[in-house]
Amino acid sequence: MKIARIHGAANVQLDELPTPAIGPNDLLVKVRACGICGSDLGYIAMGGLGGEGPMPIGHEFAGDIIAVGSNISEFSVGDAVAGNPDQRGIGNGGPEGAMATIIHIPDANPNMALHKIPPHISYEEAALAEPLSVALHGMNLVHVTDKDQVVVLGAGPIGLCAVAMLAHRGVQSIVVVDRVASRLQRALALGAHAIVNTAESDLSDSLAQHHGAGERYGKKFVGTDVFIDAAGAGALLNQIIDIAKFGTRISIIALYKNAVPINLYQVMANELKISGSIADQRADEFQQALDMMAAKPINRDAMISHRFSIEDLHPALSMAADADQSAKVMILLPA
């Protein structure tokens, strides 16, 4: 089997390893699609997470079961499945990674490590269930309803997933904020109602135009109910806190690499509700993401910008790192 593993800072290699043997509670999955996540790029840059030996990567995956342990009755050879990486830290510091031709799933549990793919969903769509469930978890933590006016900060892959899930939930006003025009066009294709390019427009004035505005104690605010932070930009977060209305909910699903000072007076004075979201223990939301795609397909062309073979691992990673050109970059493998 071939598997992408980190051997040091900025050093990822496609290694050849023996196909793992399975125990009575294990499965083998032939990977058919694996998305590249921003965290993969971060792990590569810093040389992994400090464990022993090379670190496997890849946690957004779908494929076919090719071997089943003797104690497992819930799955059969040939089942098409999507993988939830939470249980064993798949591709996130655990011993397994899905940017590979085959992945070993020890102690497999239905609806925990693996979910059966509903009919008519492609492998690449099923691999999107992982980032879609990240966005859904962040939405659920701040109790987004269809009546809320919502702003998504950042139109990278996770921000685009947030747009798709908000649109599926029927949210009636979704505004997306970014500085890259091509990303904003993808957001519109996935269901955003309006976009704000902060390279061209003032954020506060634009949000006031879309969501209304008001004044409290002599300070102006915008009428947005919920902000989904998929940008990870400290200055932008502080700008949002400064213009948020009383009771605004903020969900942070972005990865902040450095500490960010924030204006806690504004948080206190306006009773802002700020929630971090690591999207762990989300089996129900993972299944909901699959069910959503089964009920109403997402716009794959808007979500997935590039497709590569695993042999083209390094060009694929380079493209995923190019924010101006790429959205979700997917590695596809033959049957």
Side-chain angles (χ1 to χ4, degrees), residues 154-157 159-164 167 174 176 178 180-195 298-307 319 322-329:
L160 294 176
C161 285
V163 174
I174 307 166
V176 181
D178 204 293
V180 180
S182 59
R183 287 186 169 197
L184 291 169
Q185 291 305 308
R186 291 181 184 277
L188 289 173
L190 286 163
H193 301 107
I195 55 176
I298 63 171
N299 185 331
R300 278 190 290 175
D301 291 336
M303 186 73 75
I304 301 171
S305 61
H306 296 84
R307 298 165 176 86
M319 181 56 69
D322 189 334
D324 290 342
Q325 292 194 58
S326 68
K328 176 57 66 181
V329 175

Side-chain angles (χ1 to χ4, degrees), residues 252-305:
I252 299 176
I253 59 178
L255 175 62
Y256 278 84
K257 298 179 181 178
N258 298 300
V260 175
I262 63 173
N263 186 341
L264 289 177
Y265 174 79
Q266 286 296 112
V267 174
M268 178 276 298
N270 285 319
E271 294 191 3
L272 305 184
K273 299 170 179 64
I274 302 176
S275 174
S277 175
I278 191 60
D280 198 9
Q281 304 302 316
R282 55 188 153 128
D284 290 345
E285 290 153 328
F286 196 100
Q287 186 62 48
Q288 289 167 22
L290 287 172
D291 292 341
M292 179 273 286
M293 287 186 284
K296 183 180 180 182
I298 63 171
N299 185 331
R300 278 190 290 175
D301 291 336
M303 186 73 75
I304 301 171
S305 61

Side-chain angles (χ1 to χ4, degrees), residues 1-18:
M1 58 176 279
K2 297 178 180 179
I3 181 169
R5 300 193 301 173
I6 300 170
H7 290 260
N11 181 8
V12 60
Q13 300 176 25
L14 189 61
D15 296 331
E16 292 269 2
L17 297 177

Side-chain angles (χ1 to χ4, degrees), residues 1-7 12-20 31 34 54-58 90-91 94-104 310-311 313-314 331 333:
M1 58 176 279
K2 297 178 180 179
I3 181 169
R5 300 193 301 173
I6 300 170
H7 290 260
V12 60
Q13 300 176 25
L14 189 61
D15 296 331
E16 292 269 2
L17 297 177
T19 300
V31 179
C34 183
M55 175 184 156
I57 57 172
I90 294 171
E96 295 90 27
M99 206 168 292
T101 53
I102 294 172
I103 181 169
H104 177 216
I310 195 166
E311 286 77 14
L313 173 66
H314 290 96
I331 291 178
L333 299 98

Side-chain angles (χ1 to χ4, degrees), residues 53-77:
M55 175 184 156
I57 57 172
H59 58 271
E60 303 175 0
F61 71 100
D64 298 315
I65 294 176
I66 58 173
V68 178
S70 59
N71 289 346
I72 294 179
S73 59
E74 297 89 351
F75 296 103
S76 301
V77 170

